[in-house]
Amino acid sequence: MTESAAPEAAISPARQPPRRVVSGMRPTGKLHLGHFHGAVKNWIAISQQADCFFFSADWHALTTEYADPSKIEASTRDMFADWVAAGLDPERVTLFIQSRVKQHAELYLLLSMITPLGWLERVPTFKEQQEQLREKDLATHGFLGYPVLQTADVAVYGADAVPVGQDQVSHLEFARELVRRFNHLYGKENKPVLVEPRPLLTAVPKILGLDGRKMSKSYGNAIELGEDGESARKRVMVAVTDPARVRRTDPGNPEICAIYHLHRAYSTPEAIERVGAECRTAAIGCVDCKKLLLVSLLPELEKHRDRRAELDRNPGRIDELVQLGTRKAQAVAEQTMESVRAAMKLG
Ligand code: TRP
Ligand code: SF4
């Protein structure tokens, strides 16, 4: 985006701390390590310094799960409880459910009026997902409109920053362009109606799934944050490692190995260094390397399970906080919508 680089930098230098942050996650059930290291860990850090709105993107879940929405509600509760068990302070952030804040839908509709079709078809995840989820018919208006809804999610709160992983960069770039187009059409000079969000890109440690592909529930290669120790142990022990290590004496490349990525997230600096070096020289075998990982990983899974169990003893508490958060979200979103309606002569 060459044309925006200079003015953007002038208005909001990259170092300026975020003021209001919005992020969502599709409710797909229990959280796995990929969700934690790719998003939630980062949210916890950001919540120390910005006003944060984190939500269950249940409408977004429907873009692919519309044929069977039966699991979405239970998944939302599971997901919130896992966020909190993982360390997100529910009193510090605003937690809510997307579908309970109708202003997202209204802004989505209005934004859709000004969204060029070509922009939507160009978003890389559109074609990619259609190809990866072949068993689902994703040739729908809702699926095509995914990034428009996501733009509404962020803009309706006037968020100036959105924490994103590398795979979400194209969605955020889309949101920025759409907000700019909106402001160009309906804003007065120097008085934008909507805030252009910038990406908060943080270096996320890469955590691959146990088969070496991206960690994802739908691939069955994920370790759940609170996975039972025995199950995690069995699955780690049969996980794919560097395929070049056919024999025990073959040296490996830890960088492409899911086990090494997990070491980086869970083991001590000494262990990480040792494993990395000994993998390259074939001084350590994959079986021992995995056993070493389990020593640091399993206690963490257990801690999460315990915290989850404690929260589950009083599920009403999270429900209450979500209700409170939803009301707060509605109030903030309604304020934005008042300016939006006025700007579009719907006021
Ligand atoms: N697309 C995100 C995901 O893959 C979920 C999401 C929906 C989101 N709306 C958002 C993320 C707004 C950040 C900001 O889970
Ligand atoms: Fe992966 Fe460890 Fe085997 Fe190296 S030794 S390939 S890091 S499991």
Side-chain angles (χ1 to χ4, degrees), residues 140-152:
T140 60
H141 177 200
F143 187 69
L144 181 68
Y146 190 113
V148 184
L149 181 56
Q150 188 160 328
T151 305

Side-chain angles (χ1 to χ4, degrees), residues 145-179:
Y146 190 113
V148 184
L149 181 56
Q150 188 160 328
T151 305
D153 295 339
V154 173
V156 88
Y157 299 102
D160 55 321
V162 180
V164 285
Q166 202 55 48
D167 57 333
Q168 289 285 318
V169 170
S170 65
H171 282 154
L172 202 76
E173 199 44 55
F174 177 96
R176 290 164 61 80
E177 287 187 50
L178 191 51
V179 163

Side-chain angles (χ1 to χ4, degrees), residues 21-311:
V21 166
V22 171
S23 197
M25 197 180 275
R26 280 165 296 160
T28 51
K30 298 212 167 84
L31 288 202
H32 57 62
L33 301 186
H35 293 125
F36 178 67
H37 294 283
V40 180
K41 201 166 89 179
N42 196 8
W43 293 2
I44 294 167
I46 298 167
S47 69
Q48 306 298 320
Q49 46 161 338
D51 180 19
C52 291
F53 287 66
F54 297 130
F55 66 96
S56 168
D58 56 347
W59 276 334
H60 275 108
L62 280 176
T63 62
T64 55
E65 307 307 309
Y66 61 86
D68 175 16
S70 62
K71 296 194 190 67
I72 294 179
E73 198 167 17
S75 292
T76 287
R77 305 181 92 247
D78 240 342
M79 187 173 73
F80 283 137
D82 269 342
W83 289 355
V84 176
L88 189 69
D89 180 352
E91 319 252 359
R92 184 184 270 277
V93 303
T94 303
L95 297 181
F96 66 97
I97 302 173
Q98 183 187 38
S99 66
R100 305 294 193 273
V101 186
K102 310 302 177 194
Q103 287 84 355
H104 290 233
E106 185 183 356
L107 185 55
Y108 168 61
L109 175 92
L110 296 176
L111 288 174
S112 77
M113 302 301 169
I114 65 164
T115 306
L117 272 179
W119 290 14
L120 289 168
E121 287 155 353
R122 231 171 42 211
V123 174
T125 45
F126 177 61
K127 286 234 160 55
E128 273 165 32
Q129 289 263 60
Q130 278 191 337
E131 273 164 27
Q132 295 210 357
L133 302 173
R134 274 182 187 279
E135 71 284 4
K136 293 183 177 145
D137 179 0
L138 297 182
T140 60
H141 177 200
F143 187 69
L144 181 68
Y146 190 113
V148 184
L149 181 56
Q150 188 160 328
T151 305
D153 295 339
V154 173
V156 88
Y157 299 102
D160 55 321
V162 180
V164 285
Q166 202 55 48
D167 57 333
Q168 289 285 318
V169 170
S170 65
H171 282 154
L172 202 76
E173 199 44 55
F174 177 96
R176 290 164 61 80
E177 287 187 50
L178 191 51
V179 163
R180 252 182 262 149
R181 181 164 161 81
F182 185 96
N183 287 334
H184 174 74
L185 287 167
Y186 309 112
K188 301 235 160 49
E189 230 172 291
N190 302 326
K191 221 180 155 285
V193 185
L194 297 176
V195 177
E196 203 178 303
R198 69 187 158 99
L200 272 184
L201 264 174
T202 29
V204 194
K206 189 164 160 191
I207 307 261
L208 288 176
L210 295 174
D211 58 359
R213 289 188 289 171
K214 180 188 151 111
M215 189 177 281
S216 157
K217 186 185 163 115
S218 55
Y219 293 160
N221 65 2
I223 300 179
E224 281 172 10
L225 268 185
E227 188 159 325
D228 161 73
E230 199 37 40
S231 152
R233 195 188 61 79
K234 281 197 190 124
R235 295 176 59 237
V236 162
M237 290 316 292
V238 298
V240 173
T241 62
D242 177 359
R245 297 203 71 182
V246 181
R247 272 159 309 212
R248 167 69 182 75
T249 49
D250 295 330
N253 174 7
E255 297 300 329
I256 62 165
C257 176
I259 302 300
Y260 184 64
H261 296 164
L262 288 166
H263 269 297
R264 270 210 291 239
Y266 290 94
S267 295
T268 60
E270 298 76 42
I272 300 167
E273 202 182 314
R274 196 191 121 199
V275 163
E278 295 189 355
C279 172
R280 289 178 206 282
T281 54
I284 190 172
C286 293
V287 171
D288 287 332
C289 181
K290 288 172 167 179
K291 285 185 182 156
L292 199 61
L293 169 68
L294 291 170
V295 173
S296 45
L297 176 65
L298 294 188
E300 289 302 312
L301 302 183
E302 190 182 336
K303 266 189 230 159
H304 185 88
R305 268 198 318 279
D306 289 347
R307 283 192 296 253
R308 248 318 285 263
E310 201 181 313
L311 288 168

